[in-house]
Amino acid sequence: MTPRPQQAARRSTVLRREAVVATVPVAVAALLAAAGPAAASTVGSAGAGDPYFPLAGNGGYDVRHYDLTLGYDPHSRHLDGKAVVTARATQRLTRFDLDLNGLKVAGVTVDHVKAAFRRDGQELVVTPRHALCKGQEFKVTVTYSGTPKPVTDPDGSLDGWIPTDDGAFVAGEPQGAMTWYPANSHPTDKASYDFTLTVPKGYTAVANGLLRGQRTSHDRTTFRWRQSEPMAAYLATATVGKFKVEQYTTRDGLRVYNAVDPREATAAAPVLKKLPSVLAWESEVFGRYPFRAAGAIVDRAPQVGYALETQTRPVYDSAPDLGTLVHESAHQWFGDSVSLTRWKDIWLNEGFATYAEWLYTEQHGGRSAQKTFDSLYASPADSDLWAFPPGDPGSGAHIFDTPVYARGAMTLHKVRTAVGDRAFFRILRNWAAGHRDGHGTTAQFVRLCERESGKDLGHLFHTWLETAGKPSLS
């Protein structure tokens, strides 16, 4: 995520906002288990166990796929939706939850059989007619409608389905996915997606992944999108607007789809022109680009105040500058492909994307990363930079504050200077490759750094990630 300069309370204006994990990592399983009731319970827990967002996500099942069919009218702001959620029970289930905030649910079925349901705050509580066995794959179909509204996050920002003057800006970090579709809304449960989005003729609906088709009939246009690589719920988008669309394929075979509000087109064009070269550079530094699609959604949404790394196609509230493009593109590796296991570890997303900006500047004729580090370190001891250690923001209210971004990047620079460039860049590539399509934790990253460098880095990480106040350079 990249906050705009007016979000100074969230981040200073000088910055932008071990084995391959083929299955759920042990750390993820432990997190899910910690939240749930006793092992013998047949009721899925109402949260995934994240202390920052206790009700985010749900227990008792893993989602494999979301098939979302949505119709949206930008004039009335009415949404009609049908979600088919394919999941696997991780325990015997007589009842389970989905996250859904607002909207009216007309009906729920489990494996095509009508199921009982009730609403409890942001929880859609589903009771299937027949209990689900552990290991059983099942489909939940939820039909719903209404006027989606964003949620206000603990830091005061808007999140989720955010209306604009010509559609909707859809950005779900950290908890906004539940404002427009029923989900297991925690990054520990990633899934593939299909989107079928219908809007009035003349409007464009943009989601993640590859455009599979587009058809206009009876003054309405339907767009079909597919995100085949696993994706966390908060990274999904279905942004609607009157966009100027550009499509092309890069030399590396990436399918690029850019959707730009015409009012932002002139300002956005020079930056978006650099997208292929930015992705090529990041692929050299971080390893192979993790997806088959790329692009950008540039909206005009002044009420939002940030950009977000929605998977394969970041969404920007206005024309981005080059640093913001580099930042959100780097998130495709760090945050999207390699997702966090708990929100406390968000520096693994934002610190890495911020340091990507430093590296890009350094390697393209600008200020060195060391000089950027030195300039930040000169900040007085009472500045926001030192307000808390980036490895422990304290609550969801602070996960987008300055230390997570800036001091997170400073931590990476200290690792680089401690282990040397050869080991450092090997660490970045191995982190991205070793956790591709999965999750990571700070502890895993520390172990990787020590293994690849042969150095004991415990004191360094304790000082820069976990210690309050301005660290000593000694």
Side-chain angles (χ1 to χ4, degrees), residues 351 375 456 464:
S375 176
D456 182 351
W464 286 90

Side-chain angles (χ1 to χ4, degrees), residues 187 190 232 234-235 333 335-341 349 435 438-441:
K190 301 169 77 168
Y234 80 88
L235 295 170
W333 285 262
D336 293 12
S337 177
V338 184
S339 297
L340 51 77
T341 302
N349 294 9
H435 294 267
H439 304 83
T441 66

Side-chain angles (χ1 to χ4, degrees), residues 36-46 59-60 90-95 132 134:
S41 174
T42 62
V43 176
S45 62
T90 58
Q91 65 181 65
R92 177 175 167 80
L93 283 176
T94 57
R95 194 178 77 203
L132 302 168
K134 181 178 180 180

Side-chain angles (χ1 to χ4, degrees), residues 199-262:
V199 291
K201 182 180 178 181
Y203 289 82
T204 301
V206 192
N208 314 83
L210 296 170
L211 180 64
R212 307 293 290 180
Q214 175 180 333
R215 183 174 63 90
T216 298
S217 178
H218 303 294
D219 293 323
R220 296 181 70 79
T221 303
T222 297
F223 298 82
R224 294 186 297 109
W225 297 88
R226 175 169 295 169
Q227 172 58 54
S228 56
E229 298 92 351
M231 178 169 69
Y234 80 88
L235 295 170
T237 189
T239 293
V240 176
K242 291 188 173 182
F243 294 121
K244 178 181 179 181
V245 173
E246 174 188 35
Q247 300 184 66
Y248 60 89
T249 301
T250 69
R251 292 179 179 177
D252 296 328
L254 292 180
R255 300 264 294 278
V256 176
Y257 187 105
N258 295 329
V260 182
D261 187 303

Side-chain angles (χ1 to χ4, degrees), residues 4 6-7 164-165 264 299-306 317-318:
R4 290 291 174 185
Q6 63 264 36
Q7 259 70 19
T164 62
D165 63 1
E264 300 292 330
D299 209 344
R300 175 171 283 191
Q303 73 276 35
V304 173
Y306 60 82
D317 67 330
S318 62

Side-chain angles (χ1 to χ4, degrees), residues 101 149-153 156-162 174-179:
N101 188 58
K149 297 179 181 179
V151 294
T152 301
D153 291 324
S157 62
L158 295 178
D159 172 19
W161 191 283
I162 306 171
Q175 57 181 342
M178 64 182 178
T179 66

Side-chain angles (χ1 to χ4, degrees), residues 323-451:
T324 303
L325 186 81
V326 171
H327 184 106
E328 303 305 334
S329 297
H331 272 309
Q332 303 307 305
W333 285 262
F334 308 114
D336 293 12
S337 177
V338 184
S339 297
L340 51 77
T341 302
R342 54 183 182 175
W343 285 106
K344 180 181 178 180
D345 282 339
I346 193 170
W347 84 278
L348 291 170
N349 294 9
E350 302 301 348
F352 281 53
T354 301
Y355 198 65
E357 294 182 64
W358 298 13
L359 291 174
Y360 186 89
T361 299
E362 177 180 80
Q363 296 185 21
H364 289 81
R367 184 164 64 168
S368 70
Q370 184 62 54
K371 287 186 177 179
T372 301
F373 178 97
D374 293 341
S375 176
L376 285 167
Y377 189 77
S379 302
D382 61 352
S383 75
D384 289 345
L385 177 61
W386 317 116
F388 58 83
D392 187 11
S395 74
H398 300 296
I399 58 176
F400 302 120
D401 283 358
T402 301
V404 171
Y405 292 73
R407 189 168 161 183
M410 294 174 81
T411 300
L412 289 174
H413 190 70
K414 292 297 290 184
V415 173
R416 179 185 176 188
T417 58
V419 306
D421 277 10
R422 176 176 293 185
F424 178 74
F425 288 105
R426 186 171 65 246
I427 287 166
L428 292 184
R429 289 189 294 271
N430 287 349
W431 179 251
H435 294 267
R436 185 183 298 273
D437 292 336
H439 304 83
T441 66
T442 294
Q444 289 173 324
F445 182 69
V446 172
R447 287 196 296 271
L448 175 65
C449 291
E450 293 185 330
R451 187 179 71 238

